[in-house]
Amino acid sequence: MVSAAPIIYIVIFIAVLAIVQGAYLVIFGKSISMDGKVNRRLDLLEKGGGREQVLEQLRKEMTQHMKSQSIPLYSILASKAQKANIAFTPSQLIMIMVVVSFMAFVGLTVGTAVSPQVPIVLAILMGVGGVFVWINGKAKKRMSMIEEQLPEAIELMVRSLRVGHPFTSAISIVANEVADPLGTEMGVISDEAAYGRDIGECLKAMAERLDMQDMRFLAVAVTIQQTSGGNLAEILDGLAKVIRSRFRLFRRVAAITAEAKWSGKLLSGFPIVAMIAVNVVEPTYFDEVMEAPVFIPACLVVAGLLIANLFVMRALVNIKV
């Protein structure tokens, strides 16, 4: 007899991710998916929002997660949610975890016949873990897109400066011409500068919030030019070339270390996949072994070794550039 329980667990976990993503798009609209031609700031302005109102909303979204690090357990998600610029508030994310955990519990209870404690534990793990996986994926995608967009945005600033526009106008042009996620970020900087905030401070705050080294380079270059003078267009042109070179180098390092990274994931994931496959084909295969007193300690040791393997392989391929 083939056990369908592992397949049901996987299907429910995928359903949790789909529910969170679907709710996000329904509540905040497609413009927040970073795939649209019009960035989110412009979309909010086109829908009738005032410039000050839109700025306040975007600034709140960009800073709300780091301000909520004091919430128990939420600090684990805060930095990732900050980089992903999740529009959900921390309380909404916690509520979503509770809701999807309950839905997962219902699905596990209906779809599997196990002791009541198992669905409860698995439902909590799926609810919290599903939201974390979703946020982590969003953060990685967004940061990767910003890194890829930044050289082009700086070159657009250079062209604007060379035809006579001031730097604030160059930032505004980038905000209107570049897609998300960088377009909205630059739009916030443009609006803040228009309301009197120093543009160097705006760029520095953005770099610290995103924890992005290339953005720090841009902030430092603009700040030095403001205090010491110089040809900003030439400075930014050189900076764009440096960032492109760094980006190519990062890609090359990623390609070289990809085999080792996937080897580590395969070595850690294969035993789990093999155990699930064996349990699906022969549900009673581990019954006699599970009665042994050393079964639980042995499982914990194996789990620890698999997790340690991931950290060791990551440390081996974590090349500092």
Side-chain angles (χ1 to χ4, degrees):
M1 180 179 179
V2 177
S3 173
I7 299 175
I8 293 174
Y9 298 156
I10 296 172
V11 170
I12 292 176
F13 185 73
I14 294 173
V16 166
L17 297 178
I19 290 170
V20 176
Q21 176 67 12
Y24 196 57
L25 293 179
V26 168
I27 295 173
F28 296 104
K30 191 179 183 303
S31 63
I32 206 165
S33 65
M34 299 184 294
D35 297 326
K37 295 181 180 179
V38 179
N39 64 53
R40 184 157 186 258
R41 170 178 167 270
L42 296 180
D43 184 64
L44 292 174
L45 290 172
E46 287 179 359
K47 290 179 179 178
R51 187 177 184 183
E52 185 175 355
Q53 178 185 358
V54 171
L55 174 61
E56 185 64 26
Q57 178 181 345
L58 294 175
R59 288 183 65 182
K60 180 181 178 182
E61 292 176 0
M62 291 175 177
T63 58
Q64 61 185 347
H65 298 288
M66 295 307 292
K67 292 180 179 178
S68 303
Q69 284 186 309
S70 58
I71 299 176
L73 299 179
Y74 188 77
S75 57
I76 302 173
L77 293 174
S79 60
K80 294 290 185 182
Q82 188 74 30
K83 291 181 180 180
N85 195 31
I86 300 298
F88 283 134
T89 64
S91 58
Q92 287 174 335
L93 279 177
I94 294 173
M95 187 182 301
I96 288 171
M97 290 180 191
V98 174
V99 171
V100 296
S101 295
F102 176 75
M103 296 175 68
F105 173 76
V106 172
L108 290 169
T109 304
V110 173
T112 60
V114 293
S115 59
Q117 294 82 4
V118 174
I120 293 174
V121 174
L122 287 178
I124 294 174
L125 291 176
M126 287 182 179
V128 177
V131 172
F132 180 83
V133 169
W134 176 73
I135 291 176
N136 187 54
K138 286 275 186 186
K140 286 183 177 180
K141 178 183 177 182
R142 187 168 186 269
M143 294 303 296
S144 177
M145 291 178 69
I146 290 177
E147 290 174 352
E148 192 169 350
Q149 289 177 308
L150 187 58
E152 296 179 4
I154 295 176
E155 289 174 352
L156 181 55
M157 294 179 200
V158 171
R159 292 194 294 270
S160 300
L161 292 170
R162 284 175 174 170
V163 298
H165 292 293
F167 185 63
T168 52
S169 296
I171 291 287
S172 180
I173 291 171
V174 170
N176 293 330
E177 297 296 331
V178 176
D180 268 347
L182 189 58
T184 294
E185 291 282 354
M186 288 297 180
V188 170
I189 291 176
S190 175
D191 290 341
E192 288 180 336
Y195 285 111
R197 189 180 182 185
D198 181 73
I199 199 163
E201 293 181 2
C202 296
L203 290 168
K204 183 179 179 181
M206 176 183 171
E208 294 302 323
R209 176 164 46 81
L210 297 177
D211 191 22
M212 186 174 174
Q213 190 64 37
D214 291 339
M215 192 62 68
R216 291 191 181 98
F217 292 156
L218 176 60
V220 169
V222 172
T223 302
I224 292 175
Q225 193 276 337
Q226 287 178 330
T227 56
S228 305
N231 190 332
L232 184 57
E234 293 299 324
I235 294 173
L236 295 183
D237 185 49
L239 177 61
K241 293 177 181 178
V242 170
I243 293 176
R244 282 193 182 279
S245 298
R246 278 168 49 85
F247 188 73
R248 285 197 297 267
L249 183 58
F250 287 142
R251 286 292 179 89
R252 182 176 297 178
V253 170
I256 293 173
T257 58
E259 181 180 356
K261 289 179 180 178
W262 281 104
S263 295
K265 293 177 181 178
L266 177 63
L267 291 173
S268 294
F270 180 76
I272 298 174
V273 174
M275 184 185 68
I276 293 174
V278 170
N279 191 56
V280 169
V281 176
E282 185 58 49
T284 61
Y285 186 81
F286 294 106
D287 286 355
E288 294 183 5
V289 180
M290 292 174 64
E291 296 175 359
V294 296
F295 178 75
I296 299 298
C299 289
L300 294 176
V301 171
V302 171
L305 291 174
L306 293 177
I307 295 172
N309 176 65
L310 287 175
F311 283 103
V312 170
M313 294 301 293
R314 178 175 293 184
L316 291 175
V317 300
N318 186 22
I319 301 174
K320 300 296 182 182
V321 181

